[in-house]
Amino acid sequence: MSSFGAPVTALLGTCLFAIGCVVTPAADHDSEEDLAAEGDVASVEQAYVFPNGDDPEFFWEPRTIQMLQRLAMAPLADGAGKLASTPLLETAQGRKLLHYVVGCALRPDTTVTGVVGASSYVYKGALGLAAPWRSQALSFTSPQRWVTACLLQTLNGFLEEVPIRMVGKHPGLADAPWMSPAQYTFPDATMFGNIFVPGQEVAYACADEGAQLACGDVWSQFAKLRICDSSPTCKLTLLGPCKGSLPNETDCTTNAAGHPTCHADGVSYLESISSKLDAEGVFNLYPSCPQ
Protein backbone atom coordinates (compact mmCIF):
# COMPACT_ATOMS: atom_id res chain seq x y z
CA MET A 1 0.00 0.00 0.00
CA SER A 2 1.64 3.36 -0.99
CA SER A 3 0.14 6.77 -0.92
CA PHE A 4 0.04 6.95 -4.68
CA GLY A 5 -2.04 10.07 -4.47
CA ALA A 6 -3.59 9.88 -1.02
CA PRO A 7 -5.77 12.91 -0.23
CA VAL A 8 -3.72 15.47 1.65
CA THR A 9 -5.51 16.76 4.71
CA ALA A 10 -2.84 16.19 7.33
CA LEU A 11 0.70 14.96 6.82
CA LEU A 12 1.22 12.55 9.71
CA GLY A 13 3.46 10.01 8.01
CA THR A 14 7.07 9.77 6.86
CA CYS A 15 8.73 10.81 3.61
CA LEU A 16 10.74 7.99 2.06
CA PHE A 17 13.36 9.16 -0.39
CA ALA A 18 13.00 6.29 -2.82
CA ILE A 19 9.36 6.69 -3.74
CA GLY A 20 7.62 9.49 -1.96
CA CYS A 21 5.71 10.49 1.12
CA VAL A 22 3.60 8.15 3.16
CA VAL A 23 0.62 10.32 3.99
CA THR A 24 -1.83 9.51 6.73
CA PRO A 25 -4.86 11.64 5.88
CA ALA A 26 -7.33 12.77 8.47
CA ALA A 27 -10.15 12.12 6.02
CA ASP A 28 -11.16 8.84 4.42
CA HIS A 29 -9.49 7.63 1.23
CA ASP A 30 -11.25 8.11 -2.06
CA SER A 31 -11.22 4.39 -2.82
CA GLU A 32 -9.97 0.98 -1.75
CA GLU A 33 -7.28 1.26 -4.43
CA ASP A 34 -5.88 4.44 -2.85
CA LEU A 35 -5.88 2.75 0.56
CA ALA A 36 -4.22 -0.36 -0.86
CA ALA A 37 -1.43 1.74 -2.29
CA GLU A 38 -0.02 2.95 1.03
CA GLY A 39 2.18 0.01 2.01
CA ASP A 40 4.00 -0.06 -1.34
CA VAL A 41 5.90 3.07 -0.41
CA ALA A 42 6.27 2.18 3.23
CA SER A 43 7.91 -1.14 2.36
CA VAL A 44 10.75 0.52 0.48
CA GLU A 45 13.58 1.54 2.76
CA GLN A 46 16.44 2.21 0.39
CA ALA A 47 16.96 4.96 -2.13
CA TYR A 48 17.12 3.97 -5.78
CA VAL A 49 15.25 0.75 -5.10
CA PHE A 50 11.77 1.03 -6.59
CA PRO A 51 8.87 -1.35 -5.98
CA ASN A 52 7.68 -2.50 -9.37
CA GLY A 53 3.96 -2.96 -9.04
CA ASP A 54 2.22 -0.74 -11.55
CA ASP A 55 -0.70 -2.19 -13.51
CA PRO A 56 0.37 -3.16 -17.06
CA GLU A 57 -3.16 -3.43 -18.44
CA PHE A 58 -3.98 0.14 -17.43
CA PHE A 59 -0.57 1.42 -18.53
CA TRP A 60 -0.88 0.01 -22.05
CA GLU A 61 -4.41 1.21 -22.70
CA PRO A 62 -4.20 3.56 -25.71
CA ARG A 63 -5.97 6.26 -23.71
CA THR A 64 -3.37 6.00 -20.93
CA ILE A 65 -0.46 6.31 -23.36
CA GLN A 66 -2.19 9.31 -24.94
CA MET A 67 -2.63 10.93 -21.53
CA LEU A 68 1.08 10.45 -20.79
CA GLN A 69 1.99 11.95 -24.16
CA ARG A 70 -0.26 14.96 -23.55
CA LEU A 71 1.25 15.38 -20.10
CA ALA A 72 4.70 15.49 -21.69
CA MET A 73 3.72 18.37 -24.00
CA ALA A 74 3.86 20.92 -21.19
CA PRO A 75 5.71 21.49 -17.90
CA LEU A 76 4.82 18.85 -15.33
CA ALA A 77 3.91 21.55 -12.81
CA ASP A 78 3.45 25.30 -12.59
CA GLY A 79 5.58 27.71 -10.57
CA ALA A 80 3.61 26.97 -7.42
CA GLY A 81 4.17 23.24 -7.73
CA LYS A 82 0.67 22.37 -8.94
CA LEU A 83 0.69 19.33 -11.21
CA ALA A 84 -0.53 19.95 -14.74
CA SER A 85 -4.18 19.08 -15.26
CA THR A 86 -4.58 15.48 -16.41
CA PRO A 87 -7.37 12.88 -16.41
CA LEU A 88 -4.90 10.53 -14.71
CA LEU A 89 -5.78 12.26 -11.44
CA GLU A 90 -9.37 11.10 -11.70
CA THR A 91 -8.81 7.39 -10.97
CA ALA A 92 -6.79 5.42 -8.44
CA GLN A 93 -4.92 3.64 -11.25
CA GLY A 94 -4.06 6.95 -12.85
CA ARG A 95 -2.88 8.42 -9.56
CA LYS A 96 -0.67 5.41 -8.94
CA LEU A 97 0.86 5.79 -12.39
CA LEU A 98 1.46 9.49 -11.73
CA HIS A 99 3.41 8.55 -8.63
CA TYR A 100 5.78 6.46 -10.75
CA VAL A 101 5.96 9.18 -13.40
CA VAL A 102 6.96 11.85 -10.87
CA GLY A 103 9.28 9.45 -9.04
CA CYS A 104 11.10 8.53 -12.23
CA ALA A 105 11.25 12.04 -13.64
CA LEU A 106 11.88 14.47 -10.80
CA ARG A 107 14.59 14.82 -8.17
CA PRO A 108 14.02 13.78 -4.54
CA ASP A 109 13.92 17.40 -3.39
CA THR A 110 10.95 18.13 -5.67
CA THR A 111 7.31 17.75 -4.70
CA VAL A 112 4.28 18.48 -6.87
CA THR A 113 0.60 18.51 -5.96
CA GLY A 114 -2.20 17.24 -8.13
CA VAL A 115 -5.62 18.80 -7.59
CA VAL A 116 -8.91 17.34 -8.75
CA GLY A 117 -12.14 18.71 -7.33
CA ALA A 118 -11.76 19.20 -3.59
CA SER A 119 -8.95 16.62 -3.27
CA SER A 120 -5.19 17.17 -3.43
CA TYR A 121 -2.53 14.53 -4.03
CA VAL A 122 1.17 14.97 -3.24
CA TYR A 123 3.81 13.34 -5.45
CA LYS A 124 7.50 13.32 -4.59
CA GLY A 125 10.39 13.01 -7.02
CA ALA A 126 13.06 10.35 -6.57
CA LEU A 127 15.42 9.60 -9.47
CA GLY A 128 15.51 12.85 -11.44
CA LEU A 129 15.77 11.16 -14.84
CA ALA A 130 14.02 14.10 -16.50
CA ALA A 131 14.29 16.89 -13.92
CA PRO A 132 13.75 19.78 -16.39
CA TRP A 133 10.26 18.41 -17.06
CA ARG A 134 9.26 20.15 -13.83
CA SER A 135 9.32 23.51 -15.62
CA GLN A 136 9.39 22.71 -19.36
CA ALA A 137 7.88 20.22 -21.76
CA LEU A 138 9.40 16.75 -22.04
CA SER A 139 10.34 17.43 -25.65
CA PHE A 140 13.85 15.98 -25.95
CA THR A 141 14.45 12.37 -26.91
CA SER A 142 16.94 11.43 -24.19
CA PRO A 143 14.79 12.28 -21.15
CA GLN A 144 11.77 10.73 -22.88
CA ARG A 145 13.75 7.50 -23.17
CA TRP A 146 14.93 7.63 -19.55
CA VAL A 147 11.41 8.02 -18.22
CA THR A 148 10.17 5.28 -20.55
CA ALA A 149 12.82 2.81 -19.36
CA CYS A 150 12.02 3.61 -15.74
CA LEU A 151 8.27 3.20 -16.21
CA LEU A 152 8.75 -0.12 -18.02
CA GLN A 153 10.74 -1.39 -15.05
CA THR A 154 7.90 -0.50 -12.66
CA LEU A 155 5.31 -2.65 -14.44
CA ASN A 156 4.32 -5.91 -12.77
CA GLY A 157 1.40 -8.06 -13.84
CA PHE A 158 2.10 -10.62 -11.10
CA LEU A 159 0.27 -8.46 -8.53
CA GLU A 160 3.41 -8.57 -6.38
CA GLU A 161 5.29 -5.55 -5.07
CA VAL A 162 8.89 -6.45 -5.91
CA PRO A 163 11.71 -4.05 -4.97
CA ILE A 164 14.15 -3.71 -7.87
CA ARG A 165 17.50 -1.98 -8.02
CA MET A 166 17.74 0.07 -11.20
CA VAL A 167 21.11 0.37 -12.92
CA GLY A 168 21.99 2.77 -15.72
CA LYS A 169 24.28 5.56 -16.89
CA HIS A 170 22.15 8.39 -15.55
CA PRO A 171 23.60 9.97 -12.37
CA GLY A 172 20.15 9.75 -10.79
CA LEU A 173 20.56 5.97 -10.71
CA ALA A 174 23.76 6.03 -8.65
CA ASP A 175 23.55 4.07 -5.40
CA ALA A 176 23.06 6.20 -2.33
CA PRO A 177 25.94 6.06 0.20
CA TRP A 178 23.77 4.36 2.82
CA MET A 179 22.41 1.78 0.43
CA SER A 180 23.42 -1.89 0.52
CA PRO A 181 23.28 -3.02 -3.11
CA ALA A 182 24.96 -6.33 -2.28
CA GLN A 183 21.58 -7.97 -1.61
CA TYR A 184 20.45 -7.20 -5.19
CA THR A 185 22.68 -9.69 -6.98
CA PHE A 186 20.40 -11.33 -9.56
CA PRO A 187 20.74 -9.77 -13.06
CA ASP A 188 17.13 -9.55 -14.19
CA ALA A 189 16.18 -7.61 -17.33
CA THR A 190 17.14 -4.53 -19.30
CA MET A 191 14.42 -2.26 -20.67
CA PHE A 192 14.45 0.69 -23.04
CA GLY A 193 12.37 2.50 -25.64
CA ASN A 194 10.25 5.63 -26.02
CA ILE A 195 6.50 5.82 -25.44
CA PHE A 196 6.26 9.61 -25.76
CA VAL A 197 6.25 9.97 -29.56
CA PRO A 198 2.66 9.60 -30.81
CA GLY A 199 2.31 6.84 -33.38
CA GLN A 200 5.95 5.76 -32.92
CA GLU A 201 5.86 4.18 -29.48
CA VAL A 202 8.51 1.51 -28.94
CA ALA A 203 9.34 -0.58 -25.89
CA TYR A 204 11.92 -3.34 -25.55
CA ALA A 205 12.98 -5.83 -22.89
CA CYS A 206 15.75 -8.38 -22.93
CA ALA A 207 16.91 -11.00 -20.43
CA ASP A 208 20.07 -10.35 -18.48
CA GLU A 209 22.38 -13.19 -17.57
CA GLY A 210 20.72 -14.26 -14.32
CA ALA A 211 17.22 -14.53 -15.75
CA GLN A 212 18.51 -16.08 -18.95
CA LEU A 213 20.45 -18.83 -17.17
CA ALA A 214 17.69 -19.53 -14.66
CA CYS A 215 14.73 -19.55 -17.03
CA GLY A 216 16.03 -20.11 -20.54
CA ASP A 217 13.29 -19.83 -23.16
CA VAL A 218 10.62 -19.67 -20.46
CA TRP A 219 11.83 -16.17 -19.55
CA SER A 220 9.76 -14.62 -22.33
CA GLN A 221 6.54 -16.01 -20.80
CA PHE A 222 7.31 -14.49 -17.42
CA ALA A 223 8.44 -11.21 -18.98
CA LYS A 224 5.29 -10.85 -21.06
CA LEU A 225 3.05 -11.46 -18.05
CA ARG A 226 5.09 -9.07 -15.94
CA ILE A 227 5.27 -6.18 -18.42
CA CYS A 228 2.10 -6.67 -20.49
CA ASP A 229 -0.17 -8.89 -18.41
CA SER A 230 -3.08 -9.66 -20.77
CA SER A 231 -3.09 -6.28 -22.51
CA PRO A 232 -3.92 -6.65 -26.22
CA THR A 233 -2.36 -3.25 -26.93
CA CYS A 234 0.99 -3.77 -25.20
CA LYS A 235 3.77 -2.18 -27.29
CA LEU A 236 6.51 -4.39 -25.85
CA THR A 237 8.96 -6.26 -28.06
CA LEU A 238 10.69 -9.11 -26.25
CA LEU A 239 14.21 -9.52 -27.56
CA GLY A 240 15.53 -12.62 -25.82
CA PRO A 241 19.04 -12.51 -24.32
CA CYS A 242 20.48 -9.02 -23.93
CA LYS A 243 23.77 -10.16 -25.39
CA GLY A 244 22.90 -11.42 -28.87
CA SER A 245 25.22 -13.75 -30.73
CA LEU A 246 24.44 -12.54 -34.25
CA PRO A 247 24.99 -9.05 -35.74
CA ASN A 248 21.26 -8.43 -36.25
CA GLU A 249 20.27 -9.59 -32.79
CA THR A 250 19.73 -7.29 -29.87
CA ASP A 251 22.91 -6.52 -28.06
CA CYS A 252 23.48 -4.67 -24.83
CA THR A 253 27.00 -3.69 -23.94
CA THR A 254 28.03 -2.57 -20.47
CA ASN A 255 30.75 -0.21 -19.36
CA ALA A 256 33.13 -0.76 -16.45
CA ALA A 257 30.43 0.34 -14.00
CA GLY A 258 27.94 -2.19 -15.41
CA HIS A 259 25.75 0.43 -17.07
CA PRO A 260 24.05 -0.81 -20.26
CA THR A 261 23.76 0.61 -23.75
CA CYS A 262 21.34 -1.35 -25.91
CA HIS A 263 20.72 -1.58 -29.64
CA ALA A 264 17.49 -2.57 -31.37
CA ASP A 265 16.02 -1.94 -34.82
CA GLY A 266 19.09 0.03 -35.83
CA VAL A 267 18.86 2.46 -32.89
CA SER A 268 21.25 2.75 -29.96
CA TYR A 269 19.81 3.50 -26.53
CA LEU A 270 22.21 4.98 -24.02
CA GLU A 271 19.09 5.42 -21.90
CA SER A 272 18.72 1.75 -20.99
CA ILE A 273 17.96 0.59 -17.46
CA SER A 274 18.81 -2.83 -16.07
CA SER A 275 17.19 -4.28 -12.98
CA LYS A 276 18.69 -6.42 -10.26
CA LEU A 277 16.67 -8.47 -7.78
CA ASP A 278 17.14 -9.81 -4.29
CA ALA A 279 16.33 -13.45 -3.48
CA GLU A 280 12.69 -12.77 -2.65
CA GLY A 281 12.25 -10.78 -5.84
CA VAL A 282 13.61 -13.66 -7.92
CA PHE A 283 11.12 -16.03 -6.35
CA ASN A 284 8.19 -13.65 -6.92
CA LEU A 285 9.00 -12.85 -10.56
CA TYR A 286 10.32 -16.27 -11.63
CA PRO A 287 8.54 -18.77 -9.35
CA SER A 288 9.13 -21.87 -11.47
CA CYS A 289 12.69 -21.12 -12.63
CA PRO A 290 15.61 -22.78 -10.77
CA GLN A 291 16.85 -20.49 -8.03
Side-chain angles (χ1 to χ4, degrees):
M1 303 185 327
S2 70
S3 90
F4 293 105
V8 180
T9 7
L11 299 182
L12 306 177
T14 304
C15 278
L16 294 177
F17 181 75
I19 295 297
C21 295
V22 179
V23 177
T24 306
D28 292 338
H29 289 266
D30 283 354
S31 67
E32 292 182 3
E33 289 86 352
D34 282 331
L35 182 61
E38 284 189 1
D40 302 342
V41 174
S43 67
V44 181
E45 299 175 352
Q46 294 174 314
Y48 311 112
V49 175
F50 259 41
N52 79 343
D54 202 15
D55 179 2
E57 288 200 49
F58 176 77
F59 180 85
W60 290 115
E61 288 180 8
R63 184 170 180 266
T64 302
I65 296 297
Q66 291 167 6
M67 286 188 285
L68 289 172
Q69 292 169 349
R70 286 197 295 269
L71 193 64
M73 293 177 180
L76 199 53
D78 63 17
K82 181 181 176 182
L83 186 71
S85 178
T86 171
L88 290 169
L89 283 167
E90 297 171 3
T91 66
Q93 288 174 309
R95 292 189 291 271
K96 185 173 183 180
L97 175 55
L98 280 171
H99 195 101
Y100 285 114
V101 170
V102 174
C104 289
L106 303 185
R107 297 190 180 102
D109 59 356
T110 305
T111 299
V112 298
T113 302
V115 179
V116 56
S119 298
S120 298
Y121 304 89
V122 172
Y123 300 97
K124 190 175 187 297
L127 300 180
L129 299 178
W133 191 9
R134 165 65 177 74
S135 56
Q136 63 188 49
L138 186 70
S139 55
F140 293 103
T141 298
S142 184
Q144 289 175 353
R145 290 178 176 181
W146 278 121
V147 175
T148 295
C150 183
L151 291 177
L152 292 175
Q153 287 284 5
T154 68
L155 297 174
N156 192 339
F158 288 97
L159 303 179
E160 292 281 351
E161 297 292 339
V162 178
I164 59 172
R165 177 182 172 227
M166 295 190 187
V167 178
K169 287 186 174 68
H170 197 286
L173 296 171
D175 292 325
W178 58 86
M179 187 180 163
S180 177
Q183 71 189 88
Y184 295 90
T185 59
F186 184 87
D188 174 31
T190 298
M191 303 185 196
F192 53 101
N194 191 344
I195 63 165
F196 290 99
V197 181
Q200 301 179 42
E201 302 89 351
V202 290
Y204 303 95
C206 58
D208 286 323
E209 185 177 14
Q212 178 189 352
L213 292 176
C215 299
D217 293 339
V218 181
W219 174 82
S220 62
Q221 299 176 27
F222 287 109
K224 186 169 184 180
L225 176 58
R226 168 182 168 185
I227 305 168
C228 294
D229 200 355
S230 58
S231 170
T233 54
C234 180
K235 299 286 187 178
L236 181 72
T237 299
L238 291 174
L239 297 166
C242 290
K243 294 185 177 180
S245 59
L246 299 174
N248 291 331
E249 287 192 40
T250 302
D251 184 68
C252 291
T253 58
T254 55
N255 62 14
H259 301 157
T261 296
C262 294
H263 317 275
D265 295 329
V267 179
S268 294
Y269 291 84
L270 298 172
E271 308 86 352
S272 301
I273 297 180
S274 296
S275 51
K276 293 183 181 293
L277 307 175
D278 62 9
E280 184 177 358
V282 176
F283 177 79
N284 286 330
L285 291 183
Y286 304 110
S288 63
C289 295
Q291 308 296 311

